[in-house]
Amino acid sequence: MEKGEPIIRLEHVDAGYPGAVILHDVSFAVARGEIFILLGGSGCGKSTVMKHMTGLNPILAGRLTVAGREWSVQTRAELCRQIGVMYQSGALFGSMTCLENVRLPLDEFSDLSKAARRARALELLRDVELEDAADKMPSEISGGMRKRVAIARAMALDPSVVFLDEPSAGLDPITSAALDDLILRLRAEKGMTFVVVTHELPSVFKIGDRAAMFDRARHGLVALGAPQALRDTSEDPFVRKFFSRGEYHGQ
């Protein structure tokens, strides 16, 4: 699959839970190599869409494909190997060192030798500029560093796409900006594809190639495109209000 071709595709998807449709008839595609933002207010369904895209919850209707394969009971194990996820809190195991956390997917799902698994985990920590934290416990490092370790772990099995759930949540502006720089560097150096759930406008404008915006009141996708274009040209009142909050006009 070449850069720019769809790596994930949603076609007429209903998102939600049995008996509760949160978003109806959602269609969009994520291209290989892009940073794609899932955007909207609290409770709009963006995290629910991510749970469907990562196979945590089955879609209610429609079709969802990853790397050309449709999510199903039969393909779930295979497709889970195609994705990596960084959860909002980092979700590191407190009883394991940073290196052990990063190495865990390799321990569980690879046939590499112990030495090779350690070398790969160290390489991943080096990629996120935390090789010196390899032997530290998650409690001994900052929140921003924990998120970097979680990104390294999400990349362990060389996935086709990495999902980041609110990567800037709880971080100060300087740490958040440094994390944005890391995401951009990983995309530039490794050609990685990211799907990012966020509502932080500075990050949206800095890293996002395109954004899908959801509206809880209308139960659906209300805007799709480059964040700057949505901010500057959308005639939808909800979209305009969302991007004008706080009078943020970042480039």
Side-chain angles (χ1 to χ4, degrees), residues 35 37 39 180 184 187 198-211 213 225-233 239-240 242-245 247-251:
I35 300 175
I37 310 293
L39 195 60
D180 288 340
L184 289 170
R187 193 267 296 274
T198 188
H199 61 274
E200 300 289 342
L201 290 183
S203 291
V204 170
F205 288 112
K206 184 174 182 178
I207 69 174
D209 295 309
R210 288 189 303 141
M213 179 176 286
Q228 291 84 355
L230 297 181
R231 178 195 63 195
D232 297 338
T233 66
V239 176
R240 294 180 66 86
F242 186 92
F243 281 110
S244 67
R245 61 193 171 100
E247 299 300 321
Y248 180 79
H249 298 289
Q251 298 300 316

Side-chain angles (χ1 to χ4, degrees), residues 97-99 125 130-137 141 145 149:
T97 66
C98 292
L99 185 140
L125 285 172
L130 280 179
E131 185 179 11
D132 291 345
D135 295 324
K136 292 184 177 181
M137 308 300 286
I141 61 176
M145 293 169 73
V149 173

Side-chain angles (χ1 to χ4, degrees), residues 84 101-106 120 124 151-159:
N101 268 282
V102 174
R103 200 185 66 200
L104 184 61
L106 299 167
R120 171 62 175 157
L124 290 161
I151 291 174
R153 183 177 62 184
M155 300 189 302
L157 298 176
D158 195 23

Side-chain angles (χ1 to χ4, degrees), residues 18-65:
V21 176
I22 297 175
L23 297 169
H24 175 63
D25 197 25
V26 172
S27 296
F28 63 83
V30 178
R32 182 178 289 275
E34 86 173 323
I35 300 175
F36 191 92
I37 310 293
L38 302 179
L39 195 60
S42 298
C44 72
K46 57 185 183 292
S47 292
T48 301
V49 170
M50 192 189 85
K51 289 178 180 178
H52 292 317
M53 295 171 75
T54 57
L56 289 176
N57 294 328
I59 60 176
L60 302 179
R63 188 168 184 260
L64 171 60
T65 59

Side-chain angles (χ1 to χ4, degrees), residues 8-20:
I8 300 176
R9 190 184 296 275
L10 287 78
E11 299 174 80
H12 307 292
V13 165
D14 282 0
Y17 308 91

